[in-house]
Amino acid sequence: MKSAIKCLTVLIIVLLFLPTSSFSQKQKIIAKFIVTDVTENGVNTTKVYLDNKAYTVFYTVNGDNRLNMANVWDKSDTQSFGPVYSFTSEKSQATEDKYEEDIFNFIWEYHNSYNKKSGTSKVQVIKTYKPQGITFSLKLVTESLDVIIFKGYMEGSLDFSEFDK
């Protein structure tokens, strides 16, 4: 019985990931972050991301309440995508010296459309409320301890409250 449940679970996971290989499936976008600055292990790689019109998006698929994240390279039609787990959040109140911030931490299970690699990353997203708009910093730490930091601004609103459980 346990092996049947395990097989069914694997089948469900496979079926969930197959339709998301194209970002045009029935996603409900929760938030979109436009990338304006990127460093990889301390090296500025912004130009590559800007040339590919990169952005990060949080979404749900086909009415499922599971939060997913994708780093999309619009121009080259590639992406890294997958669900997030172990989601936590905290709020930092504004002071005289700093703006109000929302801080989100989670594990991201990603799949690359461009090279078929998969893995997990520890992710921290800091959303900062400035008078000009909402900015973000997204820090990815991969299994091999590579550190990628994306910065930019947010389009739309962001409410992760239903995923913080």
Side-chain angles (χ1 to χ4, degrees):
M1 181 68 174
K2 285 184 180 180
S3 64
I5 292 172
K6 190 174 186 178
C7 287
L8 181 59
T9 302
V10 169
L11 178 62
I12 290 170
I13 289 170
V14 167
L15 290 174
L16 284 173
F17 286 122
L18 285 176
T20 60
S21 63
S22 170
F23 196 69
S24 64
Q25 297 295 317
K26 296 180 181 177
Q27 289 91 358
K28 176 184 174 191
I29 294 177
I30 307 300
K32 184 175 180 181
F33 296 97
I34 307 302
V35 175
T36 60
D37 183 71
V38 182
T39 59
E40 297 181 47
N41 296 319
V43 176
N44 186 330
T45 55
T46 302
K47 183 173 179 357
V48 174
Y49 286 82
L50 294 180
D51 288 349
N52 281 283
K53 299 182 179 175
Y55 62 90
T56 298
V57 66
F58 290 88
Y59 62 97
T60 58
V61 179
N62 297 326
D64 182 1
N65 201 32
R66 178 182 292 186
L67 186 63
N68 293 269
M69 183 178 95
N71 285 327
V72 179
W73 286 27
D74 202 32
K75 187 174 180 182
S76 60
D77 195 29
T78 61
Q79 62 180 301
S80 299
F81 62 95
V84 304
Y85 299 97
S86 304
F87 191 94
T88 63
S89 67
E90 61 184 271
K91 187 175 248 347
S92 171
Q93 297 300 319
T95 66
E96 287 185 23
D97 299 345
K98 68 178 207 156
Y99 298 108
E100 177 183 348
E101 294 180 331
D102 290 328
I103 303 163
F104 308 101
N105 294 287
F106 53 89
I107 303 297
W108 180 41
E109 182 182 325
Y110 66 88
H111 308 275
N112 297 334
S113 69
Y114 51 91
N115 66 6
K116 305 300 183 206
K117 289 186 181 179
S118 297
T120 59
S121 292
K122 187 174 182 180
V123 180
Q124 181 179 65
V125 178
I126 300 174
K127 183 175 83 165
T128 305
Y129 298 88
K130 295 184 175 183
Q132 312 87 316
I134 299 171
T135 63
F136 80 97
S137 173
L138 187 151
K139 180 180 180 180
L140 269 154
V141 180
T142 68
E143 293 168 324
S144 59
L145 300 180
D146 289 320
V147 178
I148 305 168
I149 300 173
F150 301 91
K151 293 181 180 179
Y153 63 93
M154 189 179 89
E155 283 187 353
S157 63
L158 176 60
D159 183 6
F160 283 151
S161 61
E162 64 185 281
F163 304 103
D164 187 14
K165 296 177 182 161

